Amino acid sequence: MTYRFSEEAKHHFAEVVDNVAKIGGWVSDLATQRIIWSNQTYAIHDVQEDENISLDEAINFYLPEYRDMVREHYFAATKEGKPFLFEAQISSRKNHIKWVKSHGKPILNDQGVPTMVVGIFEDITQQRKNLDRIVSQQQFLQTIVDSTLEGLVATDKYGVIKSYNSAAASIFNYDENEAVGKNISILMPAHHSTRHNAYMKNYQDTGINKIIGIGREVMGMKKGGEVFPMFLSISEVLMQGEPHYLGTIRDLSKEKENAEKIEWLSNYDDQTGLPNRSYLQSYLSKLDANIAVSVVTINIDRFRRIYLAYGLAQSNKVIKYVAERLQAFCAQGEFISRDIVDRFWIVLKHDKAENRDQLTATISEIKKQLEAPICIDGYNHYITVSIGAAVSEPSSPHTALLSKAELALHETKRRKTSIYVLYKHTDEHAEILDAYNTERQLREGIENNELVFYLQPKHDRLGQLVSAEVLVRWQKPDGQLIFPDAFIDIAEESGLIHQLGRKAIESTAQMLAEIHTIDPNISLAVNVSPSQFLSDDFIDSVTDIFAANHVKLDKLTIEVTENLLASDFALLKEKTKLLTQMGIKISIDDFGTGYSNLQRIQELTISEIKIDKSFTWKCLDEQGSKLLNAMVNVGKSMHLGIVAEGVENEQHLDILRKMGVDTFQGYYYSKPIPFKDFLKKLA
Ligand code: C2E
Ligand code: CA
Ligand code: CA
């Protein structure tokens, strides 16, 4: 019996296992209930080869969750003669968890009854691991491909779409099933796809690369035919030896929309939809200089009152109303613009401004229409407007009309009587305009670093160069050098003096740092305007700027004019004391020309007085020299240093030296010179 079994068993072993290495085999003899394992099967279970294993033991190697399944398969084979194949996990004798594949086949006798089950048994742990990795890698790549915001479309060399990600689906509105297998031309409008095909063909034929790797803006087409701008870049990839093309697509519609929106916002007023001031400016600058135009500016009187009384929403409605009325009036295409809150502009080109009478008639009509009651939410608002106008002149650019009209408007408001004022050239107007233009240009000039700082040397009683005064110059882009007398007052009035003053301090610190590499004893004096001196952050900013340039403060002199003495004296006392404690010297500039309150000077901690050049020049006449003498003596009595400016010749120098002046500045020694020329004097 045993003999017969083993003969048959061997036979079936050979048939099933077929000499495959590493694959184990097993036989279950249903009559004897015995189980036979091949060596490989023992090895997979980490069991010694001489051990007898029962059916239950064999099944118990499987992890509990698989055991029912294994039993079902086994009994189906033994009872119903059904073969089986399954994959499951076992825990080996050494407690190693392994994936195995078990294949069983019942052997039937002549009556068709199963007498044994034979099987093969394979350790597939490694295969499983590889598979898991592949699956997870593929999933990973797919996730990347799907989550990129750019559309990805891969085609073969014939342009047939092979793969297509979800971003592409949302760009083109075709889903993956609709797109894959179709020609890429479904994603482009006809003329683009013809061109695309020609490009691709040319590239494949000649290798001449017009599109690969280079992104281009092309038109794409969505399902349904909507055409849109897209950015396409194509890369070539080899798949199974065949070239494929991977297109990366970005939908540009949104970006274009945003760009248009930004462009719009920079040229239009969001609230009324009218062109803004900057558009008005460029409109006028592009307008043919030979066309006669009138620029009219309109201001709603006391508009703030409406805002304060009724709030933002209501006052915005008023603005909208005014804008609409203007638009209705200017139906012939006159250029209308809205400036700051309550200010509008009209450029009249047509017969509406052909002559003075015509212009007056036009403006009266505008005024009448704008001042009609404005009914908002059942409530009447009454507004009045002030109007200024300017008519173009052949010699001057159209853009100059803006400030002229503004000036005229100013005049209308002042007079309170007329319908409007037309700008007329008067000296006073010209002056205001000049100041206005200078201020605008100075603002830009400061931003564009057009300020340069010259140095004028100061010499001691022995003729030694000991110091210099920092003097600002405005170097226009065309090379023109403008002297401070032409812009310091405007800078003061407009507040630009703060920016200017900061630049002066910065420049002083930088120059001192460089000068001290040659001669560490030289000091510099910088002019500081009263408003700059009194500003809260003045001391901090000087400290910071000098620290940043690694320069000590004890070689810095601050020149302030006598006018400063008229300001808050307690504050002044505190500031001068603080500055002196920091090592900074304070010099009273233009001494003798203004508010000379000796009492006050005495109470302040200052270092020197600087005699104005107008006094220096009088030193040759008797009266003048008496005055000078008195000034020097006053200074000496207060133990102050005495500096004289405007020293133009040897006589000046001689007299002043005899009087006891310590330091001399003027053309006799040197005019103010550029920094690099000053450095040459030191070397
Ligand atoms: P200031 O402080 O009285 O400066 C002296 C002015 O007299 C300088 O004119 C200088 O060039 C001129 N000057 C010096 N020696 C002679 C001379 O021997 N003969 C003649 N005829 N003139 C002489 P500048 O540079 O035109 O400055 C004019 C004014 O501008 C200065 O008067 C000062 O008040 C102001 N300034 C210059 N730079 C600055 C600055 O950076 N900040 C401030 N706040 N003011 C400045
Ligand atoms: Ca000065
Ligand atoms: Ca002076």
Side-chain angles (χ1 to χ4, degrees):
M1 175 108 165
T2 316
Y3 176 71
R4 212 189 72 215
F5 159 68
S6 53
E7 269 306 300
E8 262 198 66
K10 268 186 196 159
H11 169 75
H12 292 301
F13 256 139
E15 185 194 322
V16 178
V17 176
D18 202 12
N19 293 325
V20 181
K22 294 278 180 190
I23 295 184
W26 54 271
V27 178
S28 166
D29 184 349
L30 302 182
T32 62
Q33 292 292 323
R34 274 192 66 197
I35 295 227
I36 298 174
W37 279 0
S38 76
N39 292 350
Q40 187 60 40
T41 305
Y42 276 111
I44 293 170
H45 286 91
D46 295 325
V47 174
Q48 291 287 325
E49 281 167 25
D50 48 8
E51 197 178 320
N52 279 329
I53 301 290
S54 70
L55 179 65
D56 276 345
E57 282 170 329
I59 290 175
N60 282 338
F61 275 102
Y62 286 95
L63 296 184
E65 62 263 38
Y66 294 105
R67 287 177 200 158
D68 285 348
M69 179 271 290
V70 173
R71 269 189 207 101
E72 263 170 44
H73 277 302
Y74 183 76
F75 291 120
T78 56
K79 304 241 158 54
E80 298 156 33
K82 279 191 184 163
F84 61 81
L85 171 68
F86 61 78
E87 290 178 6
Q89 282 171 294
I90 61 164
S91 171
S92 77
R93 183 62 57 76
K94 289 182 184 162
N95 291 325
H96 294 156
I97 307 289
K98 297 179 181 182
W99 272 103
V100 295
K101 186 162 156 183
S102 183
H103 195 161
K105 189 181 171 200
I107 307 295
L108 313 178
N109 65 11
D110 299 344
Q111 285 84 48
V113 178
T115 56
M116 64 177 83
V117 184
V118 296
I120 54 174
F121 193 74
E122 192 183 348
D123 180 350
I124 57 163
T125 311
Q126 197 54 46
Q127 287 173 31
R128 272 280 184 165
K129 270 191 191 150
N130 292 345
L131 189 67
D132 281 354
R133 208 168 57 222
I134 290 167
V135 169
S136 62
Q137 265 175 9
Q138 265 179 358
Q139 272 170 354
F140 180 62
L141 287 176
Q142 193 60 42
T143 315
I144 293 180
V145 165
D146 279 342
S147 61
T148 103
L149 295 175
E150 316 224 296
L152 296 175
V153 178
T155 68
D156 64 12
K157 66 175 175 183
Y158 306 107
V160 175
I161 299 172
K162 291 291 178 184
S163 100
Y164 180 87
N165 75 346
S166 44
S170 59
I171 293 174
F172 293 105
N173 295 338
Y174 290 104
D175 64 30
E176 195 183 343
N177 294 335
E178 290 173 301
V180 170
K182 301 269 169 49
N183 192 279
I184 186 81
S185 59
I186 63 162
L187 306 180
M188 289 180 231
H191 62 286
H192 273 269
S193 75
T194 319
R195 229 173 45 211
H196 178 79
N197 289 342
Y199 275 139
M200 292 306 280
K201 177 134 181 39
N202 183 56
Y203 170 65
Q204 285 157 2
D205 292 350
T206 64
I208 294 171
N209 183 355
K210 276 204 180 141
I211 47 173
I212 305 294
I214 309 166
R216 288 180 311 141
E217 196 184 317
V218 298
M219 297 311 278
M221 189 171 71
K222 297 183 192 246
K223 182 179 177 180
E226 186 195 329
V227 172
F228 67 98
M230 66 183 192
F231 191 81
L232 171 69
S233 58
I234 299 178
S235 43
E236 185 176 358
V237 284
L238 274 181
M239 270 161 66
Q240 289 147 355
E242 284 285 309
H244 281 68
Y245 301 95
L246 180 67
T248 312
I249 290 144
R250 201 167 76 233
D251 186 346
L252 294 178
S253 335
K254 265 272 149 352
E255 286 168 39
K256 291 248 152 154
E257 246 171 54
N258 288 342
E260 273 164 26
K261 176 101 181 142
I262 289 167
E263 157 93 9
W264 193 85
L265 280 177
S266 62
N267 279 314
Y268 290 87
D269 162 41
D270 207 13
Q271 202 184 332
T272 59
L274 291 177
N276 61 17
R277 166 96 183 221
S278 107
Y279 189 2
L280 170 68
Q281 184 108 22
S282 80
Y283 171 81
L284 283 174
S285 70
K286 285 176 196 147
L287 209 60
D288 185 347
N290 296 317
I291 297 178
V293 297
S294 298
V295 168
V296 176
T297 179
I298 301 163
N299 179 245
I300 304 175
D301 295 325
R302 300 197 294 157
F303 179 71
R304 230 181 113 67
R305 223 175 27 134
I306 300 176
Y307 167 71
L308 289 176
Y310 301 102
L312 189 63
Q314 286 279 317
S315 57
N316 279 347
K317 282 185 190 167
V318 171
I319 293 288
K320 270 210 148 104
Y321 246 95
V322 171
E324 277 163 22
R325 285 180 177 179
L326 277 179
Q327 273 169 310
F329 185 80
C330 296
Q332 275 175 297
E334 287 84 358
F335 193 94
I336 316 171
S337 155
R338 181 185 177 219
D339 196 343
I340 42 170
V341 195
D342 51 359
R343 170 83 60 93
F344 293 87
W345 297 85
I346 306 174
V347 181
L348 298 172
K349 281 193 289 189
H350 306 285
D351 52 350
K352 283 180 178 156
E354 226 152 49
N355 54 48
R356 180 75 203 251
D357 288 345
Q358 193 65 57
L359 183 64
T360 304
T362 304
I363 290 176
S364 307
E365 187 55 34
I366 293 174
K367 190 170 158 73
K368 197 176 116 202
Q369 293 198 12
L370 294 184
E371 292 181 348
I374 295 173
C375 183
I376 295 168
D377 304 334
Y379 194 92
N380 272 344
H381 291 272
Y382 299 92
I383 60 164
T384 59
V385 295
S386 298
I387 300 179
V391 180
S392 61
E393 294 159 48
S395 55
S396 115
H398 287 330
T399 46
L401 294 174
L402 293 174
S403 43
K404 290 178 181 171
E406 242 169 310
L407 201 66
L409 173 67
H410 197 73
E411 206 40 41
T412 310
K413 292 220 176 226
R414 200 178 59 84
R415 289 190 209 164
K416 287 198 179 103
T417 48
S418 39
I419 296 171
Y420 81 108
V421 170
L422 181 65
Y423 172 82
K424 222 170 58 233
H425 182 93
T426 65
D427 287 346
E428 190 199 349
H429 279 172
E431 215 172 87
I432 297 174
L433 271 185
D434 272 356
Y436 176 86
N437 288 329
T438 306
E439 181 190 326
R440 215 190 56 236
Q441 289 172 22
L442 181 62
R443 194 178 297 275
E444 290 167 5
I446 293 175
E447 270 167 27
N448 300 336
N449 277 321
E450 288 170 20
L451 297 185
V452 289
F453 293 89
Y454 276 41
L455 293 179
Q456 187 178 31
K458 295 183 192 178
H459 291 252
D460 67 8
R461 291 175 64 83
L462 303 172
Q464 282 275 27
L465 196 167
V466 288
S467 169
E469 179 176 5
V470 178
L471 292 159
V472 67
R473 304 288 180 261
W474 179 8
Q475 178 106 55
K476 290 267 188 87
D478 62 6
Q480 194 191 355
L481 197 65
I482 307 198
F483 288 85
D485 286 342
F487 61 87
I488 285 290
D489 286 348
I490 290 167
E492 289 268 8
E493 281 165 25
S494 60
L496 286 171
I497 195 72
H498 290 274
Q499 283 103 297
L500 186 152
R502 192 182 164 86
K503 296 258 180 201
I505 305 273
E506 280 169 355
S507 179
T508 303
Q510 285 158 11
M511 290 191 288
L512 265 181
E514 204 169 332
I515 287 169
H516 287 171
T517 62
I518 304 170
D519 184 344
N521 294 316
I522 303 284
S523 60
L524 287 185
V526 63
N527 293 287
V528 172
S529 82
S531 66
Q532 190 188 356
F533 187 89
L534 293 170
S535 74
D536 288 341
D537 64 350
F538 175 65
I539 294 183
D540 284 347
S541 78
V542 172
T543 316
D544 292 349
I545 291 167
F546 270 66
N549 286 282
H550 311 288
V551 196
K552 282 201 286 186
L553 291 165
D554 63 357
K555 290 290 181 285
L556 174 65
T557 301
I558 286 174
E559 293 189 8
V560 285
T561 54
E562 257 184 340
N563 304 341
L564 184 69
L565 300 179
S567 53
D568 178 352
F569 195 63
L571 182 69
L572 209 58
K573 248 172 118 166
E574 190 194 309
K575 283 215 166 182
T576 48
K577 194 171 157 201
L578 207 59
L579 288 166
T580 307
Q581 281 167 354
M582 288 160 61
I584 297 172
K585 288 179 198 64
I586 295 169
S587 172
I588 300 296
D589 205 355
D590 295 347
F591 184 73
T593 59
Y595 181 92
S596 298
N597 186 326
L598 294 178
Q599 180 66 36
R600 288 198 153 189
I601 290 183
Q602 205 163 14
E603 283 181 45
L604 294 175
T605 43
I606 58 169
S607 307
E608 63 176 39
I609 53 172
K610 193 166 177 187
I611 295 169
D612 190 60
K613 50 184 177 288
S614 56
F615 294 103
T616 300
W617 296 337
K618 285 182 199 136
C619 73
L620 299 176
D621 67 63
E622 207 193 318
Q623 203 55 25
S625 98
K626 269 188 188 157
L627 192 63
L628 261 175
N629 237 326
M631 284 162 77
V632 173
N633 288 335
V634 164
K636 290 274 165 196
S637 73
M638 291 191 272
H639 308 289
L640 299 174
I642 317 281
V643 186
E645 70 171 20
V647 181
E648 291 193 338
N649 51 48
E650 201 142 8
Q651 280 173 298
H652 289 158
L653 182 67
D654 235 36
I655 297 172
L656 292 166
R657 198 173 13 211
K658 284 191 183 118
M659 286 180 183
V661 172
D662 309 294
T663 312
F664 309 87
Q665 174 185 357
Y667 291 0
Y668 173 70
Y669 284 114
S670 168
K671 289 196 167 182
I673 49 177
F675 180 52
K676 62 175 190 339
D677 295 342
F678 182 79
L679 287 180
K680 281 183 208 145
K681 281 188 183 285
L682 296 179

